[in-house]
Amino acid sequence: MPDTILVVEDEPALRDTLIYNLKKDGFTVEAVGDGRSALESARRLNPDLIVLDIMLPELDGFEVARILRKEMSTPILMLTARDDEIDRVVGLEVGADDYLTKPFSMRELMARVKAQLRRTRLLREELEKAPQPAKKQETFSFNDLVINITRREVTLHNTPLQLKPKEYELLEFFAAHKGQMLSREFILERVWGWDFIGDSRTVDVHVRWLRQKVEDDPGSPTRIITVRGGGYRFDG
Ligand code: CA
């Protein structure tokens, strides 16, 4: 069965181009032009991927993504018009899987769409195939920072921290590689996936937010250290 893609774009010309190109590549496409219809269509269709513009009538793309994230794990590829939206797109607030800055080529868009779908498929196959590995270590403890791997919970000074999924994954990855210099590219590949086509700002943005939660003084971090010209090192 072909993958179903929901396109949310209010500019008719761009919407038509997106529909045309996605259909040409064999996808089933439904397209809407405002945020409320996007929610309605996403809930009804349960699409394999959502291409979501940010500036939309009714509800904007940020709001749509924020709501859908709580309801489904469908990958979201966001279309941004301005650089200053990127932090919000990849960050805490929205957690989009990928983004494209307008103007973009259809070739680039198709590559991103396929990469996301491939990634979702691989994850699903792995989940179905693999027996759950026995957890070697249930918790990591670093002074007052305790990471419970099984429950995916983190406490600092005995207080639970509210971490977004990607922040948690990044922290767990750091914890498993304590004391090692980790390049941004390596982190991007291992935490976001080998075919995530983001840039190193994605890592920096998440490190910044993680520091605000796990560092006593985020301004002079002692746990997640920036290695000049290298990347990051988790000192525990
Ligand atoms: Ca728009």
Side-chain angles (χ1 to χ4, degrees):
M1 223 170 73
D3 284 323
T4 302
I5 298 182
L6 173 62
V7 171
V8 188
E9 170 61 66
D10 59 323
E11 294 161 46
L14 178 54
R15 187 169 65 231
D16 288 347
T17 310
L18 289 166
I19 296 170
Y20 172 80
N21 282 277
L22 289 164
K23 280 190 173 167
K24 200 176 64 172
D25 267 43
F27 295 110
T28 301
V29 184
E30 179 162 318
V32 293
D34 67 82
R36 280 192 200 287
S37 310
L39 291 180
E40 188 273 314
S41 292
R43 286 166 182 156
R44 177 172 41 78
L45 272 181
N46 190 18
D48 296 290
L49 182 137
I50 301 170
V51 177
L52 179 60
D53 186 32
I54 289 179
M55 297 303 289
L56 291 168
E58 306 283 335
L59 286 173
D60 69 16
F62 289 126
E63 198 61 19
V64 171
R66 202 178 56 73
I67 294 168
L68 290 181
R69 264 283 162 266
K70 293 181 191 155
E71 301 177 16
M72 53 187 81
S73 57
T74 309
I76 299 177
L77 171 59
M78 295 200 81
L79 307 180
T80 77
R82 304 193 314 260
D83 269 354
D84 61 0
E85 291 170 342
I86 292 172
D87 269 18
R88 295 182 68 192
V89 168
V90 299
L92 274 182
E93 191 176 2
V94 176
D97 297 273
D98 200 357
Y99 64 90
L100 272 173
T101 308
K102 292 179 180 182
F104 52 83
S105 71
M106 279 302 136
R107 199 163 148 251
E108 197 178 1
L109 177 109
M110 297 307 298
R112 301 291 184 95
V113 164
K114 287 173 187 168
Q116 279 305 324
L117 290 171
R118 195 163 58 233
R119 179 160 180 241
T120 314
R121 200 170 299 123
L122 284 174
L123 285 174
R124 202 183 300 137
E125 282 170 10
E126 268 169 32
L127 276 177
E128 282 166 6
K129 267 191 316 212
Q132 284 305 307
K135 299 282 181 194
K136 274 194 236 91
Q137 191 179 0
E138 197 182 57
T139 58
F140 286 112
S141 299
F142 308 98
N143 298 318
D144 279 338
L145 179 68
V146 179
I147 307 168
N148 186 314
I149 307 289
T150 315
R151 298 214 302 261
R152 289 174 70 96
E153 284 170 4
V154 182
T155 55
L156 180 63
H157 308 305
N158 291 319
T159 308
L161 294 181
Q162 301 297 319
L163 297 185
K164 296 286 175 183
K166 271 287 174 274
E167 289 179 319
Y168 173 82
E169 286 164 31
L170 181 59
L171 181 61
E172 188 187 311
F173 181 70
F174 275 139
H177 296 81
K178 188 188 166 196
Q180 299 174 33
M181 202 287 285
L182 305 165
S183 72
R184 289 175 175 80
E185 290 71 28
F186 184 62
I187 296 170
L188 205 55
E189 185 193 302
R190 296 294 295 274
V191 178
W192 275 264
W194 56 272
D195 56 2
F196 175 83
I197 314 170
D199 56 37
S200 56
R201 267 187 297 185
T202 306
V203 176
D204 296 334
V205 168
H206 282 80
V207 165
R208 195 162 77 227
W209 272 313
L210 201 49
R211 278 176 172 156
Q212 281 164 12
K213 295 181 177 174
V214 304
E215 297 282 359
D216 292 329
D217 176 7
S220 29
T222 58
R223 295 185 191 274
I224 306 170
I225 309 298
T226 303
V227 182
R228 190 176 286 272
Y232 295 102
R233 191 185 69 234
F234 182 70
D235 281 356

